[in-house]
Short mmCIF file of all heavy atoms in Angstrom, two decimals:
data_model
loop_
_atom_site.label_atom_id
_atom_site.label_comp_id
_atom_site.label_asym_id
_atom_site.label_seq_id
_atom_site.Cartn_x
_atom_site.Cartn_y
_atom_site.Cartn_z
N PHE A 33 -13.07 25.88 -32.44
CA PHE A 33 -11.67 25.95 -32.10
C PHE A 33 -11.53 26.70 -30.78
O PHE A 33 -10.87 27.71 -30.72
CB PHE A 33 -10.89 26.72 -33.16
CG PHE A 33 -10.69 25.96 -34.42
CD1 PHE A 33 -11.22 24.71 -34.60
CD2 PHE A 33 -9.96 26.51 -35.46
CE1 PHE A 33 -11.06 24.01 -35.76
CE2 PHE A 33 -9.79 25.83 -36.62
CZ PHE A 33 -10.32 24.59 -36.79
N ALA A 82 -20.30 31.73 -31.43
CA ALA A 82 -20.86 30.66 -32.24
C ALA A 82 -21.24 31.19 -33.65
O ALA A 82 -21.55 30.41 -34.54
CB ALA A 82 -22.09 30.07 -31.57
N ARG A 83 -21.23 32.51 -33.80
CA ARG A 83 -21.53 33.06 -35.11
C ARG A 83 -20.27 33.12 -36.01
O ARG A 83 -20.39 33.37 -37.19
CB ARG A 83 -22.02 34.50 -34.98
CG ARG A 83 -23.32 34.63 -34.21
CD ARG A 83 -23.79 36.03 -34.25
NE ARG A 83 -22.82 36.92 -33.65
CZ ARG A 83 -22.81 38.25 -33.87
NH1 ARG A 83 -23.65 38.80 -34.70
NH2 ARG A 83 -21.96 39.03 -33.23
N LEU A 84 -19.12 32.88 -35.39
CA LEU A 84 -17.87 33.16 -36.11
C LEU A 84 -17.14 31.91 -36.54
O LEU A 84 -17.41 30.80 -36.09
CB LEU A 84 -16.95 34.00 -35.23
CG LEU A 84 -17.55 35.31 -34.77
CD1 LEU A 84 -16.62 35.95 -33.75
CD2 LEU A 84 -17.79 36.23 -35.92
N ARG A 85 -16.12 32.11 -37.43
CA ARG A 85 -15.35 31.01 -37.94
C ARG A 85 -14.27 30.58 -36.98
O ARG A 85 -13.91 31.32 -36.08
CB ARG A 85 -14.66 31.56 -39.20
CG ARG A 85 -14.38 30.60 -40.29
CD ARG A 85 -14.11 31.38 -41.51
NE ARG A 85 -12.86 32.12 -41.35
CZ ARG A 85 -11.72 31.68 -41.88
NH1 ARG A 85 -11.67 30.54 -42.53
NH2 ARG A 85 -10.59 32.37 -41.73
N ILE A 87 -11.00 30.37 -36.73
CA ILE A 87 -9.82 31.14 -36.30
C ILE A 87 -10.23 32.24 -35.30
O ILE A 87 -9.54 32.49 -34.34
CB ILE A 87 -9.13 31.70 -37.51
CG1 ILE A 87 -8.20 30.61 -38.09
CG2 ILE A 87 -8.38 32.94 -37.25
CD1 ILE A 87 -7.40 31.00 -39.24
N ILE A 91 -8.84 32.83 -31.41
CA ILE A 91 -8.30 34.10 -30.90
C ILE A 91 -9.12 34.60 -29.72
O ILE A 91 -8.56 34.95 -28.67
CB ILE A 91 -8.34 35.17 -32.04
CG1 ILE A 91 -7.40 34.79 -33.14
CG2 ILE A 91 -8.00 36.53 -31.47
CD1 ILE A 91 -7.44 35.74 -34.29
N ALA A 92 -10.43 34.59 -29.88
CA ALA A 92 -11.29 35.17 -28.85
C ALA A 92 -11.22 34.37 -27.56
O ALA A 92 -11.21 34.94 -26.47
CB ALA A 92 -12.70 35.27 -29.33
N LEU A 94 -8.67 32.60 -26.52
CA LEU A 94 -7.39 32.90 -25.89
C LEU A 94 -7.49 34.21 -25.10
O LEU A 94 -7.01 34.32 -23.97
CB LEU A 94 -6.28 33.04 -26.96
CG LEU A 94 -5.36 31.87 -27.15
CD1 LEU A 94 -4.38 32.15 -28.26
CD2 LEU A 94 -4.64 31.53 -25.88
N GLN A 98 -7.18 35.19 -20.98
CA GLN A 98 -6.38 36.29 -20.45
C GLN A 98 -7.23 37.20 -19.57
O GLN A 98 -6.78 37.66 -18.53
CB GLN A 98 -5.79 37.14 -21.61
CG GLN A 98 -4.66 36.43 -22.33
CD GLN A 98 -3.60 36.00 -21.40
OE1 GLN A 98 -3.07 36.76 -20.61
NE2 GLN A 98 -3.26 34.71 -21.44
N ILE A 99 -8.49 37.44 -19.99
CA ILE A 99 -9.33 38.31 -19.20
C ILE A 99 -9.58 37.66 -17.83
O ILE A 99 -9.53 38.33 -16.80
CB ILE A 99 -10.68 38.56 -19.94
CG1 ILE A 99 -10.42 39.41 -21.15
CG2 ILE A 99 -11.67 39.26 -19.00
CD1 ILE A 99 -11.67 39.75 -21.92
N HIS A 156 -18.42 19.18 -37.63
CA HIS A 156 -16.95 19.00 -37.60
C HIS A 156 -16.43 18.64 -39.00
O HIS A 156 -15.43 19.18 -39.48
CB HIS A 156 -16.65 17.95 -36.58
CG HIS A 156 -15.20 17.60 -36.48
ND1 HIS A 156 -14.67 16.74 -35.54
CD2 HIS A 156 -14.16 17.95 -37.24
CE1 HIS A 156 -13.39 16.63 -35.74
NE2 HIS A 156 -13.06 17.36 -36.76
N GLU A 159 -18.97 22.15 -42.38
CA GLU A 159 -20.00 23.08 -41.94
C GLU A 159 -21.06 23.32 -42.96
O GLU A 159 -22.26 23.38 -42.65
CB GLU A 159 -19.35 24.42 -41.57
CG GLU A 159 -18.86 24.46 -40.18
CD GLU A 159 -18.24 25.81 -39.85
OE1 GLU A 159 -18.60 26.80 -40.47
OE2 GLU A 159 -17.40 25.85 -38.94
N SER A 168 -28.57 23.50 -37.17
CA SER A 168 -28.25 24.87 -36.79
C SER A 168 -26.88 24.89 -36.12
O SER A 168 -26.71 24.43 -35.01
CB SER A 168 -29.29 25.44 -35.83
OG SER A 168 -28.76 26.59 -35.21
N ILE A 169 -25.88 25.40 -36.87
CA ILE A 169 -24.50 25.39 -36.34
C ILE A 169 -24.44 26.20 -35.08
O ILE A 169 -23.79 25.80 -34.08
CB ILE A 169 -23.53 25.92 -37.41
CG1 ILE A 169 -23.57 24.97 -38.59
CG2 ILE A 169 -22.13 26.00 -36.84
CD1 ILE A 169 -22.85 25.48 -39.79
N ARG A 170 -25.12 27.35 -35.09
CA ARG A 170 -25.07 28.22 -33.94
C ARG A 170 -25.59 27.52 -32.67
O ARG A 170 -24.96 27.56 -31.62
CB ARG A 170 -25.90 29.44 -34.25
CG ARG A 170 -25.63 30.56 -33.32
CD ARG A 170 -26.30 31.79 -33.89
NE ARG A 170 -26.39 32.82 -32.90
CZ ARG A 170 -26.94 33.99 -33.15
NH1 ARG A 170 -27.44 34.25 -34.32
NH2 ARG A 170 -26.96 34.90 -32.19
N ILE A 209 -2.00 25.08 -23.34
CA ILE A 209 -1.19 24.23 -24.23
C ILE A 209 -1.31 22.78 -23.86
O ILE A 209 -1.53 21.89 -24.70
CB ILE A 209 0.28 24.65 -24.15
CG1 ILE A 209 0.42 26.06 -24.73
CG2 ILE A 209 1.16 23.69 -24.90
CD1 ILE A 209 1.79 26.66 -24.53
N GLU A 245 13.70 17.68 -17.71
CA GLU A 245 14.15 19.00 -18.11
C GLU A 245 13.69 19.32 -19.54
O GLU A 245 13.42 20.48 -19.88
CB GLU A 245 15.67 19.05 -18.09
CG GLU A 245 16.24 19.98 -17.06
CD GLU A 245 17.74 20.00 -17.22
OE1 GLU A 245 18.37 18.94 -17.05
OE2 GLU A 245 18.26 21.06 -17.53
N ILE A 249 9.94 20.74 -24.49
CA ILE A 249 10.38 20.55 -25.86
C ILE A 249 9.78 19.29 -26.44
O ILE A 249 9.33 19.27 -27.59
CB ILE A 249 11.92 20.55 -25.92
CG1 ILE A 249 12.44 21.90 -25.43
CG2 ILE A 249 12.43 20.29 -27.33
CD1 ILE A 249 13.93 22.03 -25.39
N SER A 259 0.24 15.97 -35.15
CA SER A 259 -0.78 16.53 -36.02
C SER A 259 -0.33 16.58 -37.47
O SER A 259 -1.15 16.78 -38.36
CB SER A 259 -1.24 17.90 -35.54
OG SER A 259 -0.18 18.70 -35.24
N THR A 260 0.95 16.35 -37.73
CA THR A 260 1.38 16.26 -39.14
C THR A 260 1.16 14.86 -39.69
O THR A 260 0.66 14.71 -40.79
CB THR A 260 2.87 16.60 -39.26
OG1 THR A 260 3.14 17.82 -38.59
CG2 THR A 260 3.28 16.76 -40.69
N PHE B 51 -1.02 35.41 -42.38
CA PHE B 51 -2.42 34.94 -42.40
C PHE B 51 -3.05 35.13 -43.78
O PHE B 51 -3.72 34.27 -44.29
CB PHE B 51 -3.29 35.67 -41.35
CG PHE B 51 -4.71 35.25 -41.43
CD1 PHE B 51 -5.09 34.05 -40.89
CD2 PHE B 51 -5.62 36.02 -42.10
CE1 PHE B 51 -6.41 33.62 -41.02
CE2 PHE B 51 -6.95 35.57 -42.26
CZ PHE B 51 -7.32 34.40 -41.70
N ARG B 107 4.10 20.18 -44.51
CA ARG B 107 3.48 18.85 -44.63
C ARG B 107 2.00 18.91 -44.43
O ARG B 107 1.29 17.92 -44.69
CB ARG B 107 4.11 17.87 -43.65
CG ARG B 107 5.59 17.62 -43.81
CD ARG B 107 5.88 16.58 -44.84
NE ARG B 107 5.18 15.32 -44.58
CZ ARG B 107 4.82 14.50 -45.55
NH1 ARG B 107 5.12 14.77 -46.81
NH2 ARG B 107 4.20 13.40 -45.24
N ARG B 110 -1.30 19.18 -47.51
CA ARG B 110 -2.01 18.13 -48.23
C ARG B 110 -3.41 17.92 -47.69
O ARG B 110 -4.22 17.28 -48.32
CB ARG B 110 -1.23 16.81 -48.21
CG ARG B 110 -1.05 16.23 -46.80
CD ARG B 110 -0.16 15.00 -46.85
NE ARG B 110 -0.33 14.13 -45.71
CZ ARG B 110 0.24 14.33 -44.52
NH1 ARG B 110 1.00 15.37 -44.35
NH2 ARG B 110 0.07 13.48 -43.53
N HIS B 114 -9.98 23.25 -44.15
CA HIS B 114 -10.64 23.24 -42.83
C HIS B 114 -9.79 22.44 -41.78
O HIS B 114 -9.61 22.87 -40.69
CB HIS B 114 -12.05 22.65 -42.97
CG HIS B 114 -12.69 22.35 -41.67
ND1 HIS B 114 -13.09 23.34 -40.81
CD2 HIS B 114 -12.96 21.17 -41.06
CE1 HIS B 114 -13.63 22.81 -39.74
NE2 HIS B 114 -13.56 21.48 -39.85
N GLU B 117 -6.43 24.29 -41.00
CA GLU B 117 -6.58 25.46 -40.12
C GLU B 117 -6.32 25.07 -38.68
O GLU B 117 -5.56 25.72 -37.96
CB GLU B 117 -7.99 26.03 -40.28
CG GLU B 117 -8.11 27.50 -40.09
CD GLU B 117 -9.45 28.02 -40.52
OE1 GLU B 117 -10.46 27.54 -39.99
OE2 GLU B 117 -9.47 28.88 -41.43
N PHE B 118 -6.94 23.96 -38.25
CA PHE B 118 -6.76 23.50 -36.88
C PHE B 118 -5.39 22.91 -36.67
O PHE B 118 -4.69 23.28 -35.69
CB PHE B 118 -7.84 22.48 -36.48
CG PHE B 118 -7.61 21.92 -35.11
CD1 PHE B 118 -7.88 22.68 -34.01
CD2 PHE B 118 -7.13 20.64 -34.98
CE1 PHE B 118 -7.67 22.18 -32.75
CE2 PHE B 118 -6.87 20.12 -33.72
CZ PHE B 118 -7.17 20.91 -32.60
N THR B 123 0.44 22.86 -34.69
CA THR B 123 1.87 22.69 -35.00
C THR B 123 2.65 24.00 -34.72
O THR B 123 3.74 23.94 -34.23
CB THR B 123 2.08 22.28 -36.45
OG1 THR B 123 1.37 23.19 -37.30
CG2 THR B 123 1.60 20.89 -36.72
N ILE B 129 6.39 26.42 -28.49
CA ILE B 129 6.86 25.83 -27.22
C ILE B 129 8.32 25.43 -27.33
O ILE B 129 9.11 25.67 -26.43
CB ILE B 129 6.04 24.57 -26.87
CG1 ILE B 129 4.56 24.91 -26.80
CG2 ILE B 129 6.47 24.03 -25.51
CD1 ILE B 129 3.68 23.70 -26.67
N SER B 133 11.08 27.09 -25.01
CA SER B 133 11.76 26.34 -23.94
C SER B 133 13.26 26.26 -24.21
O SER B 133 14.04 26.20 -23.24
CB SER B 133 11.09 24.99 -23.70
OG SER B 133 10.43 24.54 -24.79
N LYS B 137 15.99 27.54 -21.45
CA LYS B 137 17.17 26.82 -20.98
C LYS B 137 18.45 27.62 -21.21
O LYS B 137 19.33 27.67 -20.37
CB LYS B 137 17.29 25.49 -21.74
CG LYS B 137 16.40 24.39 -21.21
CD LYS B 137 16.69 23.06 -21.86
CE LYS B 137 17.91 22.41 -21.32
NZ LYS B 137 17.74 22.00 -19.91
N LEU B 250 -0.57 38.00 -27.74
CA LEU B 250 -1.94 38.23 -27.29
C LEU B 250 -2.43 39.59 -27.64
O LEU B 250 -3.58 39.77 -28.08
CB LEU B 250 -2.01 38.01 -25.76
CG LEU B 250 -1.82 36.55 -25.35
CD1 LEU B 250 -1.47 36.43 -23.88
CD2 LEU B 250 -3.05 35.73 -25.66
N PHE B 253 -3.50 39.65 -31.23
CA PHE B 253 -4.81 39.11 -31.50
C PHE B 253 -5.86 40.21 -31.42
O PHE B 253 -6.73 40.31 -32.30
CB PHE B 253 -5.17 38.02 -30.50
CG PHE B 253 -4.37 36.77 -30.69
CD1 PHE B 253 -4.10 35.93 -29.63
CD2 PHE B 253 -3.89 36.43 -31.95
CE1 PHE B 253 -3.34 34.79 -29.82
CE2 PHE B 253 -3.14 35.30 -32.14
CZ PHE B 253 -2.89 34.46 -31.06
N TYR B 295 -8.47 43.57 -23.49
CA TYR B 295 -8.97 42.30 -24.04
C TYR B 295 -10.47 42.35 -24.25
O TYR B 295 -11.02 41.70 -25.13
CB TYR B 295 -8.56 41.09 -23.21
CG TYR B 295 -7.08 40.87 -23.25
CD1 TYR B 295 -6.31 40.90 -22.11
CD2 TYR B 295 -6.44 40.61 -24.45
CE1 TYR B 295 -4.92 40.70 -22.17
CE2 TYR B 295 -5.06 40.39 -24.50
CZ TYR B 295 -4.33 40.44 -23.35
OH TYR B 295 -3.00 40.25 -23.42
N PHE B 299 -13.75 41.56 -27.52
CA PHE B 299 -15.09 40.98 -27.49
C PHE B 299 -16.11 42.01 -27.98
O PHE B 299 -17.07 41.66 -28.66
CB PHE B 299 -15.44 40.50 -26.07
CG PHE B 299 -14.87 39.16 -25.81
CD1 PHE B 299 -13.66 39.03 -25.19
CD2 PHE B 299 -15.53 38.02 -26.25
CE1 PHE B 299 -13.11 37.80 -24.98
CE2 PHE B 299 -14.98 36.80 -26.02
CZ PHE B 299 -13.78 36.67 -25.42
N LEU B 302 -16.04 41.93 -31.66
CA LEU B 302 -16.65 40.73 -32.23
C LEU B 302 -18.18 40.79 -32.14
O LEU B 302 -18.87 40.27 -33.01
CB LEU B 302 -16.16 39.48 -31.49
CG LEU B 302 -14.75 39.04 -31.77
CD1 LEU B 302 -14.43 37.76 -31.01
CD2 LEU B 302 -14.55 38.80 -33.26
N LEU B 303 -18.69 41.45 -31.10
CA LEU B 303 -20.15 41.57 -30.96
C LEU B 303 -20.71 42.56 -31.94
O LEU B 303 -21.74 42.33 -32.59
CB LEU B 303 -20.49 42.04 -29.53
CG LEU B 303 -20.73 40.94 -28.52
CD1 LEU B 303 -20.94 41.55 -27.16
CD2 LEU B 303 -21.96 40.10 -28.89
N PRO B 306 -17.90 41.91 -36.34
CA PRO B 306 -16.89 40.87 -36.33
C PRO B 306 -15.83 41.00 -37.42
O PRO B 306 -14.73 40.47 -37.26
CB PRO B 306 -17.70 39.58 -36.54
CG PRO B 306 -19.11 39.93 -36.31
CD PRO B 306 -19.26 41.41 -36.48
N ASN B 315 -14.72 36.65 -44.54
CA ASN B 315 -13.81 35.88 -43.70
C ASN B 315 -14.47 35.33 -42.47
O ASN B 315 -13.97 34.45 -41.80
CB ASN B 315 -12.65 36.78 -43.28
CG ASN B 315 -11.50 36.71 -44.21
OD1 ASN B 315 -11.40 35.73 -44.95
ND2 ASN B 315 -10.64 37.71 -44.21
N ILE B 316 -15.60 35.95 -42.06
CA ILE B 316 -16.12 35.75 -40.73
C ILE B 316 -16.58 34.32 -40.49
O ILE B 316 -16.22 33.68 -39.50
CB ILE B 316 -17.28 36.71 -40.43
CG1 ILE B 316 -16.82 38.13 -40.64
CG2 ILE B 316 -17.74 36.52 -39.00
CD1 ILE B 316 -17.95 39.07 -40.57
N ARG B 321 -24.79 31.98 -40.02
CA ARG B 321 -25.06 31.38 -38.72
C ARG B 321 -26.26 32.02 -38.08
O ARG B 321 -26.35 32.13 -36.86
CB ARG B 321 -23.87 31.56 -37.79
CG ARG B 321 -22.60 30.92 -38.28
CD ARG B 321 -22.51 29.52 -37.77
NE ARG B 321 -21.33 28.87 -38.31
CZ ARG B 321 -20.16 28.84 -37.71
NH1 ARG B 321 -20.02 29.42 -36.54
NH2 ARG B 321 -19.17 28.23 -38.24
N ALA B 323 -29.43 31.16 -38.29
CA ALA B 323 -30.50 30.26 -37.95
C ALA B 323 -30.39 29.83 -36.50
O ALA B 323 -29.30 29.68 -35.97
CB ALA B 323 -30.45 29.04 -38.84
#
Side-chain angles (χ1 to χ4, degrees):
Chain A
F33 287 2
R83 297 187 298 160
L84 302 173
R85 210 164 67 99
I87 277 183
I91 294 176
L94 259 179
Q98 288 306 307
I99 292 182
H156 177 173
E159 275 182 23
S168 163
I169 296 171
R170 195 169 166 182
I209 293 170
E245 246 185 298
I249 298 179
S259 49
T260 310
Chain B
F51 176 78
R107 298 276 307 152
R110 63 185 201 278
H114 169 69
E117 211 168 58
F118 175 74
T123 52
I129 305 171
S133 23
K137 280 187 78 67
L250 291 164
F253 290 151
Y295 292 119
F299 279 95
L302 285 182
L303 269 175
N315 269 339
I316 304 171
R321 299 270 176 93

